[in-house]
Amino acid sequence: LTACALAYPLALAARWALPRLATRLDLPLDRATLGWLCLFIVLSFGLRLGGRLYPNSMHGDIGFHHNRFNEMVWGLIAIVSVNRGVPFPYPPGPYAVVAPLTLLGLGPRTLLQLGAALADATSAAVVYAIAARAVGQRTALLAAAIYVFTAATFMTTWWSFQTHIYTQFFHLLLVAGLCLALDAWQRGDGRSGRAWAYGVAVLTSLVFLGHFGFLINTALLLGLLIAAVGAASWRGAAWALRARWPLTLAVGAAGGFAALFFYTSYIPMFLEQLATAREGGLTAVAGRGPVSRALMWERLWRDGLVVHFGLFPLLLLPIGLGLLARQARSEKGLGPRRTLVWLMAGSLAVAAVFAVFPFIAGVTNSPRWLMFIAWAVAVGSAVATEALWRRGWLGRAAALAMGAAVLANTAWVWLGPMLWRIRPPEPF
């Protein structure tokens, strides 16, 4: 009942705000699409918060985050956490975002879970914004649905990975911001370009100070993007000459700010880990022996490729990316399709590195690379599904069958932890 009571004003707020944001950002959004998008947001919010509020549901790490929140409020900023034996920096950014809301009289546990459900739910609108210019309203709407109704984001909800959830939302905002900023920069729109440079810098800072795994993934993605724009400018592309410095300065300012005011506190820890790795390899840093490659493959296949997304969206992803790349050939400069292809391809390249890395190093630590590409999986599989849907009744039957299998997987990941406290695989 609480989730339903909160979902109603959320629906009203979304129906009021989304058309205005779409107009301001020059995104297509008709009345029918708006209605479906609001429905996705409300359903996503209700399922996540309602599941968390069910008395016998899986608690996850909410107690851990409550303690870390209190430490941040009491002044302990440079927190060290440990994952599979490896100490790493624990940025307090999401806690700092939530902390002022405690003035409303709500406790940290309630606020953290409420905010996480809201972030995941409104991610549907952000994924739509990322894709709408490039693939059209219907396909972008399908991408939004795939993102919020596949099992991956429900897994983070049940594990109560609060800082991960908030930072994944910030990362989505950054991707959407880059799509719009690159368009403004290459057009040479001075006033809008400066505003987007500040916006990209702020969003990048939120990611860098939100979750260490997302810092690693996003820094590599932004590095690849800067290199690609730089290469295009070196070849004399006019759009790249206009876009390279705003992009580089925005990312550099965010990285410098995060490093100077937070990560420099961990330099002794990093140096000690580097010395340990030189002497005994990465397994020595974790203090554990190498993990069996057969076990890692089983976990990658079953927990990753099957459970996270229900397998089919991952199988459709390369098809959708190929279709987008083919359509982008007709664009001049860095059009919306080519921008999307660059961001998707860069994200997949980063994910591929970390997918292969454990098999080489013998360690299972990862920066949650599969969650990092959740938006790309949603967009790519939506494009492929739309193409399949247009191939007659057989294609539609195949699309519906795959959709049913994906939703069945999601239903199990939602019901099991809520009713019987069956822990889903830990997201990675």
Side-chain angles (χ1 to χ4, degrees), residues 77 79 88-95 163 206-213 215 262-263 266:
I77 302 299
I79 301 171
F88 64 93
Y90 199 85
Y95 302 140
T163 53
L206 287 171
V207 174
F208 286 179
L209 295 173
H211 188 273
F212 190 57
L215 177 147
F262 183 70
Y263 287 102
Y266 299 90

Side-chain angles (χ1 to χ4, degrees), residues 53-406:
L53 294 178
Y54 186 73
N56 294 323
S57 65
M58 175 181 168
H59 293 163
D61 288 351
I62 187 60
F64 169 86
H65 288 287
H66 188 187
N67 292 335
R68 298 293 84 74
F69 178 91
N70 287 335
E71 289 176 345
M72 187 278 299
V73 171
W74 295 336
L76 180 58
I77 302 299
I79 301 171
V80 175
S81 189
V82 178
N83 178 259
R84 295 183 176 90
V86 179
F88 64 93
Y90 199 85
Y95 302 140
V97 171
V98 172
L101 299 178
T102 56
L103 297 174
L104 299 174
L106 297 174
R109 287 193 180 214
T110 301
L111 279 173
L112 286 169
Q113 294 179 95
L114 178 62
L118 188 62
D120 268 340
T122 53
S123 292
V126 185
V127 172
Y128 176 84
I130 291 171
R133 281 183 171 182
V135 300
Q137 294 185 64
R138 190 167 85 163
T139 306
L141 189 63
L142 179 58
I146 292 171
Y147 183 85
V148 294
F149 294 125
T150 46
T153 51
F154 283 95
M155 291 159 62
T156 52
T157 296
W158 286 124
W159 281 98
S160 197
F161 286 166
Q162 304 298 320
T163 53
H164 173 112
I165 293 170
Y166 284 96
T167 310
Q168 187 161 339
F169 176 67
F170 298 151
H171 175 74
L172 284 180
L173 289 175
L174 174 60
V175 172
L178 285 170
C179 290
L180 298 170
L182 285 167
D183 179 62
W185 292 335
Q186 70 173 326
R187 286 188 285 104
D189 189 338
R191 183 176 179 182
S192 177
R194 285 191 296 273
W196 277 116
Y198 290 127
V200 167
V202 170
L203 290 171
T204 304
S205 297
L206 287 171
V207 174
F208 286 179
L209 295 173
H211 188 273
F212 190 57
F214 265 87
L215 177 147
I216 296 171
N217 292 328
T218 304
L220 291 173
L221 170 62
L222 293 173
L224 289 174
L225 183 62
I226 290 172
V229 173
S233 68
W234 183 74
R235 292 196 301 268
W239 66 266
L241 291 170
R242 290 189 290 267
R244 62 177 177 176
W245 284 117
L247 173 62
T248 304
L249 291 174
V251 173
F257 175 80
L260 181 62
F261 290 99
F262 183 70
Y263 287 102
T264 50
S265 302
Y266 299 90
I267 289 176
M269 184 185 75
F270 291 146
L271 292 176
E272 182 181 350
Q273 290 176 342
L274 181 60
T276 303
R278 282 179 175 175
E279 292 179 6
L282 293 176
T283 53
V285 177
R288 302 181 179 187
V291 180
S292 163
R293 287 185 174 86
L295 181 61
M296 286 193 289
W297 170 248
E298 181 184 357
R299 183 168 181 262
L300 174 61
W301 165 253
R302 184 188 61 197
D303 296 346
L305 304 184
V306 175
V307 178
H308 273 64
F309 300 107
L311 183 61
F312 292 111
L314 285 167
L315 295 178
L316 293 171
L317 168 61
I319 300 173
L321 181 59
L323 291 172
L324 269 175
R326 186 185 305 171
Q327 295 166 5
R329 292 174 185 170
S330 60
E331 291 182 331
K332 294 181 179 179
L334 197 62
R337 291 190 183 92
R338 183 167 290 138
T339 301
L340 195 57
V341 168
W342 279 24
L343 290 170
M344 289 174 67
S347 299
L348 293 173
V350 172
V353 169
F354 289 113
V356 174
F357 181 74
F359 294 92
I360 299 172
V363 295
T364 56
N365 304 78
S366 80
R368 296 193 184 149
W369 56 270
L370 199 51
M371 298 300 300
F372 173 71
I373 61 168
W375 73 270
V377 173
V379 173
S381 58
V383 172
T385 302
E386 178 69 22
L388 185 63
W389 189 264
R390 293 176 179 174
R391 290 185 172 272
W393 68 268
L394 194 58
R396 295 186 179 190
L400 290 173
M402 287 187 288
V406 170

